[in-house]
Amino acid sequence: MKSDVLLANQKSWNQAASRFYGRNPLPEYGPLAPKEDELNLLGDVAGRKVLEIGCGSGHSLLYMDQRQAAELWGLDLSSAQIESATKLLANCQAPVHLFESPMEHDPGLPHGYFDLVYSIFALGWTVDLHQTLSQVHRYLKPGGVFVFSWEHPLHNRFTQQEGNLVLTKSYLEEGAYKHEAWPETAIMQQFRVSTYLNACIQSGFVIEQVVEDVSLSDEDIEKHAKGWYNAEKAAAVPTTLIIKCRKAQA
C-alpha cells in the first residue's frame, strides 16, 4: 500500500538524513549533470515566491535566499530533514515556511501562489506521480514554472561488468523498486522518460525543456570517482533527467 511505502521511506530518510546533508543542492541538479549556472532554467528568482518539493536539508532554499527570492517554502517527508532545514535557514533574509509532508499530500500550501516550484533529485520518491504533479500545478500561478530533476531512467538499467555496460533490466519496466545503492529499506519509483513527460502534460503543464546532458569536468569526475555515479558510466548513459515546464496562462 502507498501509505506503507511512505512510512518506510520516512523512516529511512530520518535514519539517513545526516549522510545526505547538503549533498548536491542547487546550483547542482544531480551528479555529473550540468548546473544551473550553465542551464539558467530558473531565471532571475529575485522577488519570486518559490517552493521546493523534497527540500531535504534546505541547502537549495538557501541558494534561493542568496539570490533574493521573496519567500522560501519547502516540504519534505522527513522530520529530520525539516529539523536540519529549519536550523540552516534560521537567518535567511526571506520568510521561511517549512512543512513535514509527503509530496503527494497538500499540507495547507496556498494555491495559485508560487512563481516557481522546483524539486532537485527528489521526485522519484513519489508514490503517486500524477497526484504529485497535480498538486504542483495547483500551487503555481498561471505562467509559473516547475523544474525538477531525478536519476535518469536508463542509469540503473545498466551495470558495469568487467569494463562493459550490461543491460540488466528492461527500460520498459516501470514501478516501485529498492535502489541497490541505498542501504536502508526504501522504495523509489522507476518511470520512462515518456511517462514523466506525459504525466506533466496530463497535469496541465507545457513542456519547455528537457535536459539529459552530462558534465564531465575534472571537478565533477573527481567528486564522483568512487560513487554510484561515475564518469565512465556517465560517458555512455546519462545520470540525470531534468525537465522544465510551465503552467499555462489562464
Side-chain angles (χ1 to χ4, degrees):
M1 293 178 62
K2 293 178 181 179
S3 58
D4 294 332
V5 173
L6 287 174
L7 287 173
N9 288 348
Q10 182 182 51
K11 180 180 179 181
S12 294
W13 266 109
N14 283 337
Q15 293 172 346
S18 61
R19 185 159 54 89
F20 287 91
Y21 183 83
R23 185 180 295 189
N24 298 119
L26 284 170
E28 297 185 44
Y29 282 101
L32 298 167
K35 299 177 176 59
E36 171 61 13
D37 305 342
E38 176 186 348
L39 297 173
N40 194 31
L41 298 176
L42 306 176
D44 183 3
V45 303
R48 302 301 180 102
K49 300 168 184 174
V50 304
L51 165 64
E52 180 171 9
I53 305 298
C55 64
S57 55
H59 286 77
S60 289
L61 284 170
L62 182 62
Y63 171 89
M64 290 293 184
D65 188 62
Q66 293 166 347
R67 281 146 187 79
Q68 289 78 54
E71 297 180 17
L72 307 175
W73 297 66
L75 61 82
D76 199 280
L77 177 68
S78 163
S79 58
Q81 295 280 51
I82 291 296
E83 181 179 351
S84 294
T86 299
K87 293 177 181 177
L88 181 74
L89 303 172
N91 297 317
C92 283
Q93 302 176 66
V96 178
H97 309 273
L98 300 177
F99 296 81
E100 181 188 336
S101 172
M103 62 183 76
E104 300 82 3
H105 301 167
D106 181 353
L109 295 169
H111 293 185
Y113 186 76
F114 296 97
D115 302 290
L116 170 67
V117 180
Y118 66 93
S119 181
I120 308 302
F121 239 65
L123 204 72
W125 289 93
T126 183
V127 298
D128 192 324
L129 180 62
H130 288 272
Q131 179 65 19
T132 294
L133 293 175
S134 294
Q135 295 288 16
V136 171
H137 191 269
R138 281 190 281 269
Y139 300 146
L140 280 167
K141 293 178 179 178
V145 169
F146 178 43
V147 178
F148 68 91
S149 66
W150 180 243
E151 181 180 89
H152 195 284
L154 279 174
H155 189 269
N156 71 2
R157 295 330 209 187
F158 288 88
T159 59
Q160 292 170 291
Q161 298 179 15
E162 299 179 351
N164 297 313
L165 285 180
V166 179
L167 182 67
T168 54
K169 193 173 184 180
S170 170
Y171 173 70
L172 302 177
E173 183 178 334
E174 297 187 297
Y177 73 100
K178 185 182 185 302
H179 201 303
E180 65 182 79
W182 190 267
E184 296 83 10
T185 300
I187 307 300
M188 301 175 216
Q189 303 294 322
Q190 175 76 21
F191 301 111
R192 293 173 290 175
V193 173
S194 60
T195 298
Y196 282 113
L197 296 176
N198 289 328
C200 288
I201 294 168
Q202 291 161 11
S203 297
F205 288 106
V206 177
I207 307 293
E208 291 195 345
Q209 193 166 347
V210 179
V211 180
E212 300 176 284
D213 297 333
V214 172
S215 176
L216 295 177
S217 67
D218 291 342
E219 178 186 357
D220 289 322
I221 292 172
E222 182 179 357
K223 182 177 179 180
H224 297 284
K226 298 181 180 180
W228 168 256
Y229 305 99
N230 61 75
E232 182 182 2
K233 185 175 180 181
V237 180
T239 63
T240 304
L241 173 68
I242 310 168
I243 296 176
K244 177 182 180 179
C245 50
R246 189 180 299 271
K247 181 175 179 175
Q249 292 283 357

